[in-house]
Amino acid sequence: MISSVRHAVSPFPSSGFLTQRRSLAKPRFWPLPIIRNEQLNLNHSVSPQKPIYISSVETFSPLPAAKIQKREVVCNAYEAADRPLEINIELPDEQAAEAAQRIKIGLYFATWWALNVVFNIYNKKVLNAFPYPWLTSTLSLAAGSLMMMISWATRVAETPKVDLEFWKMLLPVAVAHTIGHVAATVSMSKVAVSFTHIIKSGEPAFSVLVSRFLLGDTFPLPVYLSLLPIIGGCSLAALTELNFNMIGFMGAMISNLAFVFRNIFSKKGMKGKSVSGMNYYACLSMLSLLILTPFAIAVEGPQMWAAGWQNAVSQIGPNFVCLSMPLGAAIAILGTFLYSQAKQ
């Protein structure tokens, strides 16, 4: 118990305080009231394994001065399991779906790469038997365009909704695509497929350099440093190639430069156009076909094609030449579709 001490007032008047003997009264003790928590209610079922959270603390104002001053503090608590906690936890189903999506994208890219390799091998076989790259490029675009028109007519693929403005925007892209396509085919007709692709692997270097010096784009230092092994590897491959051919080398280099401009024109001109990747490539092939056909006739011509056809028939037979070119176009279109699916 806590007690307080009070000193009683001296009974002597103030006038005799100096002459009288000072005496102090004995201290008197008054007990203070014991503060009790009237609303204390202990819940003995509280588990020590669960944390206790303070929900509210209320302090009541003191009673009037005539009564004994008294404060009461009310504390409400609850166990953690009594109220739900907001915790973001990734469920196993979401993790499995994300992993499946990554695997799906990886398979798309792997299949696209494999089809690209097969397409180039078939192209090389055709060029070995029929060494006319301008006609080969033209027939490849024609076969792809025909296949897509049949797909649209039979509603296998959705017909794109395009207007005149779309074709105007697509024209510079098609010009660059035509140049790159023919240049790559000319390169493969003169050198090995592997050498052509080694040189074409330098396309990122062309992209960075064109964007830097023509468009004014800037890149961090690691990007420029990453170009050194690309340029060095292409240079080493060119120096050590046993069957080096300048036309084949220049064709691959021109193809790199043309495809860089194709990508730049495509990004700038096709913003806001709602056309799927496969339909976009089909429209691009059709417009490139219209651009390439007169140039192919002017460069090679029907007389050279007739002579080459007779030579191919005498050596291999007509079936190989006829089937190889539309098979290559089909592989290219399927590969483009898979690549567009992977990008989405």
Side-chain angles (χ1 to χ4, degrees), residues 48-255:
Q49 304 296 330
K50 302 176 181 178
I52 302 298
Y53 298 98
I54 303 299
S55 62
S56 63
V57 177
E58 300 178 2
T59 303
F60 294 93
S61 60
L63 296 175
K67 299 182 180 180
I68 301 176
Q69 295 184 354
K70 180 179 181 182
R71 291 179 179 268
E72 293 184 358
V73 178
V74 179
C75 178
N76 296 325
Y78 63 91
E79 293 185 6
D82 294 341
R83 297 186 182 182
L85 298 177
E86 296 182 359
I87 302 177
N88 295 325
I89 300 177
E90 293 185 359
L91 300 178
D93 295 340
E94 296 179 357
Q95 296 177 353
E98 184 179 356
Q101 183 67 15
R102 291 180 179 178
I103 295 175
K104 183 179 178 181
I105 294 174
L107 290 176
Y108 276 145
F109 272 113
T111 308
W112 167 74
W113 180 82
L115 290 174
N116 189 37
V117 172
V118 174
F119 168 73
N120 292 319
I121 292 175
Y122 269 94
N123 239 7
K124 182 60 177 178
K125 287 184 177 180
V126 172
L127 291 170
N128 288 336
F130 190 77
Y132 297 96
W134 288 81
L135 179 61
T136 302
S137 302
T138 304
L139 293 178
S140 178
L141 294 174
S145 301
L146 180 62
M147 292 173 59
M148 286 306 302
M149 286 190 290
I150 294 175
S151 300
W152 293 337
T154 57
R155 296 184 178 181
V156 174
E158 183 181 359
T159 304
K161 298 179 180 179
V162 296
D163 51 8
L164 183 59
E165 187 67 22
F166 171 82
W167 294 106
K168 289 181 180 179
M169 293 292 182
L170 191 64
L171 180 59
V173 183
V175 171
H177 177 73
T178 303
I179 295 174
H181 179 57
V182 174
T185 308
V186 170
S187 176
M188 281 189 288
S189 67
K190 299 297 182 180
V191 295
V193 179
S194 57
F195 178 75
T196 301
H197 276 273
I198 290 174
I199 302 302
K200 283 180 63 62
S201 65
E203 184 176 336
F206 283 85
S207 179
V208 172
L209 295 177
V210 170
S211 300
R212 175 66 184 90
F213 293 105
L214 295 183
L215 302 180
D217 297 338
T218 58
F219 301 92
L221 181 60
V223 174
Y224 295 106
L225 295 178
S226 66
L227 301 180
L228 297 179
I230 297 177
I231 298 174
C234 292
S235 302
L236 183 62
L239 292 175
T240 57
E241 175 65 25
L242 297 178
N243 298 321
F244 180 81
N245 184 278
M246 182 57 69
I247 297 178
F249 174 76
M250 292 304 299
M253 297 289 285
I254 293 173
S255 177

Side-chain angles (χ1 to χ4, degrees), residues 265-283:
F265 294 150
S266 180
K267 290 179 180 179
K268 286 191 172 183
M270 304 309 297
K271 287 183 179 179
K273 304 294 182 181
S274 57
V275 180
S276 65
M278 186 169 61
N279 285 336
Y280 178 80
Y281 188 79
C283 295

